[in-house]
Amino acid sequence: MAAAVSALSSLGVPEADIGSEEEEEEEEVAEPGPAAAAAEQRREERLRRFRELHMKRYEACKLNSQEVLEEDKRLKLPPNWEAKKARLEWELQVQEKKKECAARGEDYERVKLLEISAEDAERWERKKKKKNPDLGFSDYAAAQLRQYQRLTRQIKPDLEQYERLKEQHGDALYPTSDSLLHGTHVPSKEGVDRMVADLEKQIEKREKYSRRRPYNDDADIDYINERNAKFNQKAERFYGKYTAEIKQNLERGTAV
C-alpha cells in the first residue's frame, strides 16, 4: 500500500486525493446495493426450500421403509391372523369381565345379558338358527351329516394318551401305505363306556323323536279340533289346487 502511494506521489497525484479514493472504494465494498441484498435473500430462500424438500424426502423414505417392513410382516402371518387376533382379544376381555363379576359376587351370564340389546339378541338368534337349522328328517345323508357334526363337536382329545401312544409307537403312529399298525389298537375301558353311553343316548332320543312341522300363527283357522285339522291338511294336499278358485269365491262372497 505504501509503495502504491509512493508511486502515485511520484506521478504528481496529491496524497489527499489518494486517501479520498481509498475511502470511496471501502464504502462501496462495505455497503452493497439493494440488488445484491435481494439476490442474497433469494439465495437464502432457495436454500431454505431445498433443505425443507430434503427433509420431506428423508421422511418419505423413512415412512416407505417402515411400510415395507410392516407389509412383509403381514405377508408372513397366517391368512386368518386378524380374525384370530380379534378373537384372542375378545376372549381376554371376557376373562377380565368374569373376574370382575366374580369379585363383586355377580353372575357373569346375567350381567352379559343385561348389556345385550334386543336387536343384537334377535340377530344372534337368527344367525344361530341359520347356521344349524333343525329342519327335521329330510333324507338319510343329511341326518348322517348332522350326526357326524354333533359327534365331532363332542370330541375332547386326550393329549396325555396321545403323548403315551407317540412314545410307544414312534413314527408308526402316523400310518403310511407300508404301516401295519391298523387293527392292533385296543380301546380303553373309558372309551368303550363313553361310546356305549352315547349310543344309549341316541337310541333314547330316536324313540322320542317325531318330525317337527312348522306352525304358522297367521294361517286361517278352518278346523274345530286337532283331528279335523289333520283331515283338512290332507284334503288341501291332494285337492287344494282344484278347489282353490272355489275357496276364494266363497271367501269373497262371489260364489254362484
Side-chain angles (χ1 to χ4, degrees):
M1 188 68 182
V5 171
S6 301
L8 291 173
S9 299
S10 63
L11 293 174
V13 178
E15 294 183 359
D17 294 340
I18 295 173
S20 61
E21 290 179 357
E22 290 178 353
E23 291 177 356
E24 290 177 358
E25 290 178 359
E26 290 177 357
E27 289 178 358
E28 290 179 357
V29 174
E31 297 180 0
E40 183 67 20
Q41 187 177 2
R42 288 195 299 270
R43 179 175 174 275
E44 291 179 358
E45 182 68 20
R46 286 196 298 269
L47 289 175
R48 185 183 62 80
R49 291 175 60 189
F50 178 75
R51 284 193 296 270
E52 290 179 357
L53 291 173
H54 183 73
M55 291 300 297
K56 289 181 179 179
R57 177 177 175 274
Y58 175 74
E59 292 292 334
C61 292
K62 184 178 179 181
L63 292 175
N64 191 20
S65 300
Q66 293 177 356
E67 288 294 331
V68 169
L69 293 176
E70 292 294 331
E71 185 178 2
D72 184 62
K73 290 180 181 178
R74 288 195 299 269
L75 291 175
K76 290 180 180 179
L77 292 173
N80 57 345
W81 168 249
E82 294 295 335
K84 286 184 177 179
K85 183 179 178 181
R87 178 73 180 181
L88 291 174
E89 292 177 354
W90 176 78
E91 290 180 355
L92 289 175
Q93 293 177 0
V94 170
Q95 293 295 332
E96 291 294 332
K97 290 182 179 179
K98 285 184 178 179
K99 291 180 181 178
E100 293 176 0
C101 293
R104 294 194 302 264
E106 298 176 349
D107 186 7
Y108 170 74
E109 295 296 332
R110 183 177 179 83
V111 173
K112 182 179 72 173
L113 292 175
L114 291 174
E115 295 177 355
I116 297 175
S117 63
E119 292 80 3
D120 293 338
E122 291 178 358
R123 186 175 68 252
W124 290 341
E125 191 67 24
R126 289 194 301 268
K127 186 177 180 181
K128 187 189 299 184
K129 290 181 179 180
K130 184 177 179 181
K131 184 177 179 181
N132 189 21
D134 187 3
L135 303 177
F137 180 82
S138 57
D139 53 26
Y140 289 101
Q144 186 179 13
L145 177 61
R146 288 180 61 83
Q147 176 75 353
Y148 170 77
Q149 292 175 347
R150 185 183 66 81
L151 293 176
T152 52
R153 284 195 300 268
Q154 293 177 356
I155 293 177
K156 296 180 180 179
D158 189 354
L159 298 180
E160 296 180 358
Q161 178 68 14
Y162 171 73
E163 293 295 336
R164 287 196 297 268
L165 291 175
K166 190 163 64 172
E167 292 177 0
Q168 179 180 355
H169 300 288
D171 294 337
L173 185 64
Y174 310 102
T176 61
S177 58
D178 300 327
S179 300
L180 299 177
L181 186 64
H182 180 69
T184 61
H185 173 69
V186 178
S188 62
K189 184 177 183 300
E190 293 80 6
V192 174
D193 294 340
R194 188 166 57 249
M195 183 190 67
V196 171
D198 186 75
L199 290 175
E200 290 178 351
K201 189 185 299 182
Q202 292 180 33
I203 293 172
E204 182 180 358
K205 183 178 180 181
R206 195 178 298 117
E207 290 176 352
K208 297 180 180 179
Y209 183 79
S210 62
R211 186 162 62 116
R212 298 176 179 85
R213 295 177 175 84
Y215 178 75
N216 186 9
D217 294 333
D218 298 331
D220 295 333
I221 299 177
D222 55 356
Y223 53 89
I224 57 175
N225 52 33
E226 190 67 24
R227 184 176 179 182
N228 181 241
K230 292 182 179 179
F231 176 80
N232 292 342
Q233 290 175 1
K234 291 180 181 179
E236 179 68 23
R237 185 165 60 248
F238 290 107
Y239 305 107
K241 59 182 179 179
Y242 306 110
T243 61
E245 185 176 357
I246 299 174
K247 186 176 180 180
Q248 292 174 2
N249 292 332
L250 290 172
E251 291 175 353
R252 291 194 301 264
T254 58
V256 179

